């Protein structure tokens, strides 16, 4: 635990670098090869995937310290932000970008609240970059991180694929089902940690 602040700082630096590279590659590829509407959707989906609960450093640390009540709190905060935005979208007959944006806003609020709880309860991260140590951590964590990102992105890309093959209401149903399944994912994580 004494190394926690430094390791958290390392994780944040690595996450920022990897996320920045992923987002930059997607933005350049999307906006140079696709029409603006499609490029905007791809950009939004990628940005949302990068701040999904599975990619949230505060949730990583809450799990490591077995403070799962804090992870549950963050999921509730996310849902409390997302549901009113969803209802607003339905009332205003919003399109796919607005519904996807609602999830992104909810995730961003959850990320900010998680960071605040993390700093107040556990402490501020320490940023002491050492190239060799960061490269070692990146090499060790990259396979797991890539698998987690792939899982998250897969769900978001499914929404875009559904948009081309189905009606807007089908897309909305899938988006709602995905977001409402988050509490069940939390229960699965709690059981997995308890078994270990």
């Amino acid at each position: 635990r004494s190394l926690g602040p430094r390791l958290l700082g390392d994780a944040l630096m690595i996450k920022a670098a990897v996320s920045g590279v992923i987002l930059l590659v997607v933005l350049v590829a999307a906006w140079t090869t696709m029409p603006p509407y499609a490029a905007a959707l791809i950009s939004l989906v990628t940005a949302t995937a990068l701040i999904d609960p599975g990619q949230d450093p505060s949730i990583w640390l809450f799990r490591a310290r077995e403070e799962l009540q804090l992870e549950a709190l963050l999921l509730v905060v996310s849902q409390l932000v997302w549901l009113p935005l969803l209802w607003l979208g339905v009332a205003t007959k919003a399109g796919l970008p607005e519904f996807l944006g609602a999830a992104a806003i909810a995730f961003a609020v959850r990320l900010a609240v998680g960071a605040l709880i993390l700093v107040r309860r556990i402490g501020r991260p320490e940023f002491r970059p050492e190239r060799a140590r960061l490269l070692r951590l990146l090499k060790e964590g990259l396979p797991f991180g890539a698998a987690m990102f792939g899982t998250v992105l897969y769900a978001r890309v499914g929404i875009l694929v559904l948009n081309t093959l189905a009606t807007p209401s089908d897309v909305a149903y899938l988006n709602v089902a995905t977001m409402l399944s988050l509490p069940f994912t939390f229960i699965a994580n709690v059981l997995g940690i308890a078994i270990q």
Side-chain angles (χ1 to χ4, degrees):
R1 286 182 181 243
S2 63
L3 294 176
R6 195 196 75 193
L7 290 172
L8 178 59
D10 290 346
L12 290 173
M13 286 188 286
I14 291 170
K15 177 169 172 43
V18 172
S19 296
V21 168
I22 290 170
L23 191 58
L24 182 63
V25 167
V26 169
L27 289 175
V28 169
W31 288 96
T32 57
T33 62
M34 299 178 176
Y37 180 77
L41 284 179
I42 294 294
S43 303
L44 182 57
V45 163
T46 304
T48 304
L50 290 170
I51 58 171
D52 183 88
Q55 302 291 322
D56 187 339
S58 61
I59 288 179
W60 301 343
L61 205 57
F62 297 153
R63 287 180 185 173
R65 290 175 172 249
E66 296 185 1
E67 296 198 53
L68 301 179
Q69 76 280 5
L70 296 177
E71 180 181 353
L73 173 66
L74 292 183
L75 291 175
V76 169
V77 165
S78 184
Q79 298 281 15
L80 289 176
V81 172
W82 173 71
L83 283 171
L85 291 175
L86 181 65
W87 289 327
L88 179 64
V90 170
T92 60
K93 297 184 178 169
L96 181 61
E98 289 81 9
F99 282 111
L100 292 175
I105 291 168
F107 286 175
V109 170
R110 186 214 66 247
L111 194 68
V113 171
L116 184 63
I117 293 171
L118 195 64
V119 168
R120 291 195 173 186
R121 283 188 68 121
I122 297 169
R124 295 181 181 277
E126 291 179 14
F127 298 101
R128 286 189 277 160
E130 294 174 16
R131 182 180 168 85
R133 189 181 77 242
L134 291 176
L135 286 175
R136 180 177 47 78
L137 289 171
L138 178 61
K139 184 180 177 182
E140 290 173 2
L142 198 56
F144 178 74
M148 289 297 295
F149 179 74
T151 301
V152 167
L153 189 61
Y154 176 78
R156 304 286 176 264
V157 169
I159 294 171
L160 293 180
V161 171
L162 187 62
N163 185 48
T164 63
L165 301 174
T167 66
S169 60
D170 292 328
V171 175
Y173 293 146
L174 177 65
N175 200 18
V176 169
T178 301
M179 288 293 287
L180 289 177
S181 69
L182 286 178
F184 296 107
T185 304
F186 169 72
I187 292 169
N189 288 330
V190 170
L191 292 174
I193 290 169
I195 289 169
Q196 292 176 355

